[in-house]
Amino acid sequence: MPSDNVLSVRKLKLFFRTSKGVVRAVDDVDFDLTRNRAVVVVGESGCGKTSLAKAILRLLPKNVHTYSGEIFLNDKDTMKLKNEEYRLQMRWVKMSMVPQAAMNSLNPVMKVGDQVAEPAIIHNNMNKEIALQQAHKMFQQVGVPADFINRYAFELSGGMRQRVAIAMSLVSLPELVILDEPTSALDVLTQANIFNVLKQIKKDLGISFILITHDIATSSELADDVAVMYAGQVVETGDAHRFFDRPLHPYSIKLMASVPKLRAREEPDFITGQPPSLLNPPTGCRFKARCPSRFERCEDEPPAFRIDGRTVKCWLHASEDD
Amino acid sequence: MAETPINLEQTGVASPTTKTRPKTLLRLARYTGLKVVALLAAVTIGLYLTIWIANMGGYVDEIMRGQIRESVSIAVSMDPEMRTLSLPERRERIDEQVRLAEERLGLDQPFVTRSFRFLGNAMSLNLGRSQHLTSDTGSRQVRTIILERLPPTLVLMTTANFLLFILSIIFALFLSRNYGTILDKMTIGLSPLSSAPPWFYGIFLLLIFAAILGVLPFGGMVVAPPPRETGAYILSVGRHLILPVAAWLISGFFASVYGWRTYFLIFSMEDYVELARAKGLSSRDIERRYILRPTLPNIITQFALMLIGLWQGAIITETIFNWPGLGRMIYSAIQSFDTPVIVGSTVIFAYLLAITVFLLDFIYALVDPRVRVGSGGAKS
């Protein structure tokens, strides 16, 4: 395993028990993240993106059915850690997150400064004063005015709350930040601002990002690498430049075609049909029912084929591998 | 840019607060004034209604007039001196004495006029004298009667309610951490037990522990005669407390736990609790800062309402256990149309409720910043 990987995920599974059966939200996911890069995880709603983030962060609800696989952080298997060890060694020390709904992710009765400083107090053994100074630095980094440190969440606008949440994820200087649709509730101008902030942070602090989004257009600004998720699986990974230029997987091709382009004549395309239920996913290739280029081999599950640094889970690319 | 040392106190935090302070004080004073006026109005209306109801809209006056005439006629007809008088003269004497007695009690004025005088007396805590009830020391002062009955009620209700409140919150927090377990399901399954009132369980407890097993007393607050030494006295009261408190707990516990557990469960599913978990906070910190802190206003409200409830006593439970408290006093006062006692206990209760509500507003502001910022001058 190359040691410049900050994160390597192998055969990660996260299934949930529900009244209708077992939901296979994350099903055999493999991917790698190199240091100081940002990988964008894209996919439709309900394809398991958020569950992937939860699985990496071990934020499990009560109805977990299966949680298995390997998650290497700096070549150390975090899955082997006990919960308390994981809390003290991993949570916010190595990995932090920016949650999906920043509106509701701040404690309404604690000053935002205290909340931002909290992880530094717990994990970096700072006293409150120094931790608040650290929080203050992070506020500057993300563009939140200094006096907001003594405000409460309800006194901030949505964009400011999101920035506070980002500041909070950075305060203990983790190696990896997972952003779960950090801008989906914001207007486009604020979205653009936040993405500029994130780009700046990546440059200044050398932190790696996993950015989970369905907003391909906006995220392309930040992306170094792309992972495409479909029905609980990662179907394609690769560097962003080549991916946006020429996606490999038929699903990725359709997904990219559905993004409106600024100076394009053609109408955005759409994908017919519904994504399969994660309760009972189809055998073989999971995209076959909606795939325009399906053929006999799609009845078997395709492995992830490697094509000069990219991976794709599709039989169409088998010939280059064999 | 990240190197600049910053003194947090100086960076624009302090200045806007000092500027707005007189304004804030003014707003606070106005708010307080309005609140006091509103609460006083509510207390007045509530009391006035109680006075009308306790007097049955003035019908109690008729009852009293009848009683006066009856006792006066008996007294007059029994008096040997009156025997010599002729019938019309005797009737005149009776009418005269009835008039005097009615005047003494104020019955010569219409009830409406007197209702306002009652109201004024009640509001100024001039509780007056009871009509039938007496205190154990023989006093007819309503104030003395109430004060005498208060300690037993407080002993019983404070013990029972504090236990219920604290036990159910602790247990509910525990269940919300372990929801879906067998213990959790069992507690929920048992919550219909609370559909029956405490005295219902009291009867069974008395039957089992007093009548059949004979290990605990049937009722009352101490053994008769009361022990001389303080230690023995407390021990005796403690033994007498067991059954009523147990009845109270059985009746209240499961529904209370169910309510709190669901409440904590909802609040522990908030995104900020999940984020706190992701931040690697210990579960104790999460429980304290992210679950209990945001829910504190409601916990305080429930607690304050419980405190008010203490003053009322428990009418039937006290009667079942023969407990010499306020509940039993109100029970006998209602039975004998003793309006001064009814109105007297209502006025104390109303004032306590008003004071609690008044204080709660300020406590909310202390524990919840969302309440603190008033309508006018939030974001500077």
Side-chain angles (χ1 to χ4, degrees):
Chain A
M1 183 160 310
S3 60
D4 62 334
N5 276 354
V6 61
L7 181 79
S8 300
V9 175
R10 292 285 171 272
K11 295 201 174 309
L12 184 62
K13 283 189 173 120
L14 179 58
F15 300 168
F16 300 121
R17 247 180 299 112
T18 66
S19 53
K20 288 179 198 146
V22 174
V23 173
R24 304 160 78 95
V26 178
D27 201 353
D28 252 342
V29 163
D30 293 355
F31 78 95
D32 296 304
L33 177 60
T34 324
R35 194 170 301 283
N36 197 17
R37 282 172 83 83
V39 61
V40 174
V41 179
V42 293
E44 288 162 281
S45 292
C47 71
K49 294 178 307 226
T50 300
S51 297
L52 175 64
K54 293 206 161 142
I56 293 173
L57 290 160
R58 207 191 273 190
L59 284 176
L60 308 173
K62 295 254 173 177
N63 60 339
V64 171
H65 178 270
T66 308
Y67 177 52
S68 66
E70 290 166 318
I71 301 169
F72 292 95
L73 196 85
N74 297 327
D75 300 337
K76 183 178 177 189
D77 190 356
T78 69
M79 292 293 272
K80 290 204 172 74
L81 293 173
K82 293 198 182 74
N83 277 335
E84 188 61 12
E85 291 171 342
Y86 186 84
R87 174 174 89 79
L88 292 171
Q89 295 171 22
M90 291 295 152
R91 292 204 188 285
W92 239 260
V93 182
K94 304 274 190 203
M95 292 191 274
S96 67
M97 69 175 288
V98 176
Q100 194 161 19
M103 289 292 164
N104 200 19
S105 60
L106 295 169
N107 186 334
V109 296
M110 273 173 79
K111 289 177 178 167
V112 290
D114 291 349
Q115 292 184 61
V116 171
E118 216 171 24
I121 297 173
I122 297 168
H123 297 302
N124 304 12
N125 289 322
M126 292 186 184
N127 65 27
K128 194 172 174 188
E129 210 168 308
I130 298 172
L132 276 173
Q133 273 174 29
Q134 174 78 5
H136 184 268
K137 266 191 220 168
M138 291 308 156
F139 271 31
Q140 276 192 327
Q141 182 78 45
V142 299
V144 177
D147 62 305
F148 278 31
I149 220 159
N150 280 326
R151 288 202 181 183
Y152 292 94
F154 68 96
E155 296 174 300
L156 306 182
S157 66
M160 279 300 161
R161 281 184 220 189
Q162 193 62 60
R163 282 166 197 252
V164 167
I166 294 170
M168 182 150 61
S169 72
L170 301 173
V171 73
S172 54
L173 296 174
E175 294 180 32
L176 172 67
V177 178
I178 299 177
L179 301 113
D180 189 0
E181 305 199 16
T183 59
S184 54
L186 304 171
D187 62 276
V188 266
L189 278 177
T190 318
Q191 281 185 7
N193 276 332
I194 300 245
F195 272 102
N196 285 335
V197 165
L198 290 175
K199 261 200 282 191
Q200 192 64 40
I201 290 166
K202 194 161 127 296
K203 217 170 80 186
D204 292 353
L205 304 177
I207 290 174
S208 315
F209 287 114
I210 296 177
L211 175 63
I212 288 167
T213 184
H214 52 239
D215 187 350
I216 296 157
T218 324
S219 62
S220 62
E221 293 214 15
L222 187 69
D224 297 312
D225 295 304
V226 176
V228 181
M229 269 194 93
Y230 184 76
Q233 294 182 322
V234 169
V235 292
E236 178 172 355
T237 63
D239 63 288
H241 187 74
R242 283 187 293 169
F243 175 83
F244 288 125
D245 193 44
R246 194 178 69 85
L248 296 176
H249 196 280
Y251 175 66
S252 313
I253 296 168
K254 295 292 263 181
L255 196 66
M256 290 308 292
S258 71
V259 177
K261 292 170 196 69
L262 197 56
R263 274 180 281 277
R265 298 258 168 109
E266 71 268 30
E267 287 274 303
D269 197 5
F270 59 90
I271 310 175
T272 50
Q274 293 286 321
S277 158
L278 295 177
L279 274 170
N280 194 7
T283 53
C285 174
R286 296 197 176 172
F287 188 57
K288 66 185 177 199
R290 302 163 81 187
C291 187
S293 29
R294 72 179 277 198
F295 60 117
E296 314 84 68
R297 291 188 81 173
C298 297
E299 295 305 325
D300 300 322
E301 175 153 355
F305 297 107
R306 297 199 150 269
I307 306 159
D308 33 283
R310 307 166 74 177
T311 63
V312 56
K313 223 170 149 62
C314 179
W315 287 114
L316 287 175
H317 300 276
S319 52
E320 296 168 51
D321 195 61
D322 288 337
Chain B
M1 123 200 107
E3 295 308 307
T4 35
I6 273 123
N7 187 345
L8 298 174
E9 293 305 312
Q10 288 172 2
T11 47
V13 185
S15 51
T17 355
T18 38
K19 233 186 281 171
T20 53
R21 185 155 293 157
K23 232 184 190 171
T24 316
L25 271 181
L26 197 75
R27 217 178 61 205
L28 192 70
R30 229 189 81 209
Y31 174 77
T32 311
L34 274 176
K35 193 86 203 169
V36 169
V37 170
L39 283 173
L40 269 180
V43 168
T44 314
I45 293 169
L47 270 181
Y48 194 63
L49 286 175
T50 311
I51 288 168
W52 272 88
I53 292 165
N55 283 292
M56 299 169 81
Y59 186 70
V60 170
D61 283 10
E62 299 300 319
I63 298 173
M64 279 166 65
R65 280 204 190 90
Q67 281 172 348
I68 289 167
R69 181 161 292 278
E70 191 187 346
S71 59
V72 166
S73 335
I74 291 170
V76 166
S77 57
M78 300 290 265
D79 195 337
E81 281 179 37
M82 302 293 173
R83 297 256 167 95
T84 54
L85 298 174
S86 68
L87 206 62
E89 268 178 323
R90 220 192 284 176
R91 189 162 293 153
E92 206 171 291
R93 287 300 273 275
I94 289 175
D95 284 345
E96 176 61 16
Q97 284 197 21
V98 165
R99 197 184 59 77
L100 277 173
E102 285 184 354
E103 207 170 316
R104 186 165 54 80
L105 290 171
L107 284 175
D108 53 332
Q109 285 161 353
F111 177 70
V112 180
T113 331
R114 282 168 44 243
S115 70
F116 285 107
R117 210 180 62 227
F118 290 161
L119 182 65
N121 282 340
M123 296 287 286
S124 53
L125 285 178
N126 181 8
L127 303 181
R129 295 161 66 84
S130 72
Q131 283 166 355
H132 307 282
L133 297 187
T134 55
S135 74
D136 289 346
T137 51
S139 168
R140 281 218 161 175
Q141 288 289 330
V142 171
R143 193 193 311 256
T144 318
I145 297 176
I146 290 177
L147 282 179
E148 192 185 74
R149 293 303 190 100
L150 196 55
T153 282
L154 285 186
V155 166
L156 173 62
M157 301 299 284
T158 319
T159 316
N161 278 316
F162 269 61
L163 272 180
L164 178 61
F165 190 79
I166 290 161
L167 286 182
S168 53
I169 282 191
I170 292 173
F171 194 55
L173 266 177
F174 173 76
L175 285 188
S176 76
R177 238 178 294 141
N178 302 293
Y179 82 98
T181 53
I182 295 171
L183 193 65
D184 183 38
K185 282 177 185 149
M186 253 170 60
T187 313
I188 294 165
L190 286 175
S191 62
L193 278 181
S194 296
S195 57
W199 55 264
F200 178 80
Y201 296 105
I203 293 171
F204 286 98
L205 289 175
L206 279 176
L207 191 70
I208 297 168
F209 291 99
I212 298 175
L213 296 176
V215 288
L216 288 167
F218 270 100
M221 196 170 75
V222 282
V223 286
R228 289 277 168 89
E229 310 114 71
T230 327
Y233 190 90
I234 292 174
L235 218 68
S236 171
V237 171
R239 251 170 66 80
H240 283 78
L241 266 175
I242 295 174
L243 285 187
V245 168
W248 198 265
L249 282 182
I250 294 170
S251 164
F253 186 69
F254 292 101
S256 178
V257 166
Y258 191 10
W260 283 116
R261 161 220 177 255
T262 310
Y263 183 72
F264 288 137
L265 211 52
I266 292 168
F267 270 83
S268 59
M269 284 181 213
E270 290 283 347
D271 293 343
Y272 52 79
V273 181
E274 168 122 322
L275 189 63
R277 216 161 272 145
K279 274 156 83 174
L281 269 68
S282 63
S283 42
R284 216 181 113 255
D285 280 349
I286 293 175
E287 216 148 76
R288 244 188 32 227
R289 274 182 248 164
Y290 287 82
I291 299 178
L292 284 178
R293 258 304 256 116
T295 54
L296 201 55
N298 190 23
I299 295 176
I300 291 175
T301 312
Q302 296 297 328
F303 187 76
L305 290 177
M306 181 204 83
L307 280 185
I308 303 167
L310 298 184
W311 297 92
Q312 279 183 307
I315 296 177
I316 305 179
T317 308
E318 283 185 7
T319 312
I320 289 279
F321 286 100
N322 209 16
W323 194 267
L326 279 177
R328 247 176 75 201
M329 180 202 73
I330 292 172
Y331 182 69
S332 16
I334 292 172
Q335 270 193 326
S336 57
F337 300 116
D338 203 331
T339 42
V341 177
I342 300 173
V343 174
S345 54
T346 311
V347 70
I348 289 181
F349 182 68
Y351 271 127
L352 284 172
L353 189 63
I355 292 168
T356 313
V357 171
F358 182 74
L359 288 180
L360 268 182
D361 266 357
F362 289 94
I363 295 172
Y364 284 154
L366 281 181
V367 298
D368 193 338
R370 287 166 295 186
V371 180
R372 203 173 310 155
V373 180
S375 48
K379 301 179 185 177
S380 49

